[in-house]
């Protein structure tokens, strides 16, 4: 049986969801028997999101132009997209900046009003991705096939989500163990 092509991507998040993925510890070895990790910020150095990905775990909200481009590409090239963690599911912590309005007041507050020595706005087109006016959960931008909440989802929840998929089954996201936020 051919291996499942697994990707994970890191949008606007703290990487805590990926750290929780690494907390799978020895189960990662079992997972490795069933999947090829074809794109990920952990343990994989590929720069371009590949074609024909079977499953992608998406950490983080969509907060800047780079996030937007990557999630659109990932959606086109992935069969089953999982919103992985509360930032992906609700925008969560990165979404708190939405309270300040659009991108401009957020940048002014952060880099000018709160700047120390030489306050300046980070405007480096092509180097620093432009902020979107609003931080959005992943499903507001592209279709999502499964929601896995948690900040972060703990390793047991990640395992209980992935394990059925390895057998071609849909995970059951029910009950406190699987869908509690936070
Ligand atoms: Fe970090 Fe929590 Fe967001 Fe995951 S859901 S990226 S752990 S803040």
């Amino acid at each position: 049986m051919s291996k499942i092509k697994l990707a994970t991507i890191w949008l606007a998040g703290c990487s805590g969801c990926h750290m929780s993925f690494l907390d799978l510890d020895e189960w990662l070895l079992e997972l490795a028997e069933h999947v090829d990790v074809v794109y990920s910020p952990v343990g994989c150095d590929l720069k371009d999101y590949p074609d024909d990905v079977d499953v992608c775990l998406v950490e983080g909200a969509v907060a800047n132009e780079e996030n937007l481009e990557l999630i659109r590409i990932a959606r086109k090239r992935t069969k089953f997209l999982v919103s992985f963690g509360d930032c992906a599911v609700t925008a969560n912590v990165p979404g708190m900046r939405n309270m300040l309005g659009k991108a401009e007041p957020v940048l002014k507050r952060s880099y000018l009003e709160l700047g120390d020595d030489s306050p300046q706005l980070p405007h480096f087109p092509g180097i620093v991705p432009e902020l979107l006016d609003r931080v959005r959960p992943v499903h507001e931008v592209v279709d999502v096939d499964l929601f896995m909440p948690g900040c972060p989802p703990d390793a047991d929840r990640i395992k209980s989500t992935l394990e059925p998929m390895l057998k071609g089954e849909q995970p059951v996201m029910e009950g406190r163990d699987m869908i509690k936020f936070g």
Side-chain angles (χ1 to χ4, degrees):
M1 197 168 114
S2 62
K3 287 187 169 185
I4 292 167
K5 291 184 190 170
L6 175 70
T8 76
I9 62 178
W10 180 12
L11 305 179
C14 72
S15 89
C17 293
H18 275 86
M19 294 303 106
S20 197
F21 182 81
L22 295 178
D23 278 345
L24 286 164
D25 295 334
E26 68 272 14
W27 194 71
L28 287 170
L29 299 175
E30 195 175 318
L31 183 65
E33 291 174 13
H34 299 278
V35 306
D36 279 329
V37 179
V38 292
Y39 185 92
S40 177
V42 290
C44 184
D45 197 29
L46 290 178
K47 301 293 180 244
D48 296 320
Y49 195 92
D51 289 321
D52 301 323
V53 173
D54 293 309
V55 177
C56 178
L57 304 180
V58 182
E59 173 190 317
V62 183
N64 64 33
E65 295 288 351
E66 187 180 68
N67 299 156
L68 189 60
E69 184 182 355
L70 178 56
I71 193 61
R72 283 178 173 157
I73 290 171
R75 177 65 279 183
K76 274 193 199 134
R77 299 180 184 174
T78 308
K79 292 193 190 88
F80 199 85
L81 199 77
V82 180
S83 243
F84 176 38
D86 287 352
C87 291
V89 176
T90 70
N92 197 30
V93 177
M96 291 169 77
R97 79 155 160 91
N98 291 340
M99 288 186 286
L100 287 178
K102 294 185 173 182
E104 191 180 328
V106 172
L107 290 167
K108 282 186 174 162
R109 177 71 181 146
S110 307
Y111 288 90
L112 300 183
E113 293 170 28
L114 300 177
D116 291 334
D117 292 339
S118 51
Q120 60 176 310
L121 292 174
H123 184 63
F124 300 100
I127 298 173
V128 179
E130 295 287 315
L131 289 190
L132 301 176
D133 274 335
R134 198 176 122 70
V135 182
R136 300 164 77 186
V138 173
H139 66 275
E140 281 192 12
V141 178
V142 296
D143 289 339
V144 163
D145 300 301
L146 190 89
F147 295 90
M148 190 201 315
C151 183
D154 63 26
D156 287 343
R157 185 177 298 175
I158 298 170
K159 182 180 174 188
S160 297
T161 304
L162 292 179
E163 219 165 17
M165 290 192 205
L166 302 180
K167 297 181 251 171
E169 297 168 7
Q170 178 91 1
V172 180
M173 307 304 284
E174 288 179 6
R176 183 180 176 87
D177 287 349
M178 295 303 283
I179 55 171
K180 181 178 173 293
F181 286 78

